[in-house]
Structure formats: structure tokens, C-alpha cells
Amino acid sequence: MKNPFGNMSNILKQAQAMQEQMAKIQEQAASKTASGTAGGGIVTITANGAMQIVSVAIDPEVVKSGDVDMLQDLVVAATNDALRKAKELMEGEMKALTGGMKIPGLF
């Protein structure tokens, strides 16, 4: 007679291995970056896979124009673009791990 708990043991081992891989991916997230732009490159924001902004680049000409409202809008747009791309990057990493299965709470 087969051990009915043998399969459960394998499932638990696989889940633990997957959890370890997810932890590694999340640790490496800070080293992966994505850039977002706005205004045709006037503002460029770079975010990492941990959803942190790591750099901001603003064309000095837009600062000279004195149009603060436009600059603020461009920073917001570029930030949202960078964060969206960083999220997509990490979703791709997780998809490779989970085989495309959606797991709540992961990116």
C-alpha cells in the first residue's frame, strides 16, 4: 500500500524550493532597473525592481524655462512610467518562476 503522505511531502519540498527562489529574486530586485521618460526625454526617472526611485535626470533647458507646473507633470509621468516598467520587469521574473501562475501578493 502506498504512503498517502508521500506526495504531500514532495509538494511541501517544491513549495519550499519555490519560496527560496522567490526570496532570491526579490533580493536581486534592487540591482535590476527600468527607466521611464516624459516630454520626449526631458525627464528620465529610473526605478529598481524593489519599486524604489534610484535616479532622476531633468534636461536643464526645461528648468531655464521656469515652467514649474509642466516640470512637475513630467516628473510624475516619468515616475509612473518607470514604476510600471519596473513592475513589469519583476512580473516577468516571477512568471518565469511560477510558470505564469498568478499568486496573490507577488508583484
Side-chain angles (χ1 to χ4, degrees):
M1 184 170 171
K2 269 187 154 180
N3 180 354
F5 298 105
N7 196 24
M8 182 62 99
S9 176
N10 285 339
I11 291 171
L12 290 174
K13 285 179 185 177
Q14 290 173 347
Q16 184 178 9
M18 184 182 222
Q19 186 177 17
E20 289 171 5
Q21 288 177 311
M22 285 180 357
K24 282 182 185 178
I25 288 172
Q26 289 173 335
E27 283 177 27
Q28 296 169 347
S31 67
K32 296 181 187 258
T33 60
S35 294
T37 60
I42 292 173
V43 175
T44 301
I45 305 288
T46 302
N48 66 19
M51 303 302 142
Q52 299 169 325
I53 303 302
V54 295
S55 71
V56 176
I58 299 172
D59 184 335
E61 292 301 313
V62 76
V63 177
K64 289 178 188 176
S65 75
D67 191 346
V68 175
D69 289 334
M70 179 186 71
L71 181 57
Q72 291 170 339
D73 290 343
L74 292 175
V75 169
V76 169
T79 300
N80 287 333
D81 187 36
L83 290 174
R84 179 186 54 77
K85 288 177 180 176
K87 182 179 178 187
E88 288 173 359
L89 174 76
M90 293 314 298
E91 284 174 348
E93 296 282 327
M94 287 297 178
K95 185 182 282 187
L97 174 64
T98 64
M101 183 175 63
K102 289 277 187 186
I103 299 174
L106 294 180
F107 294 94

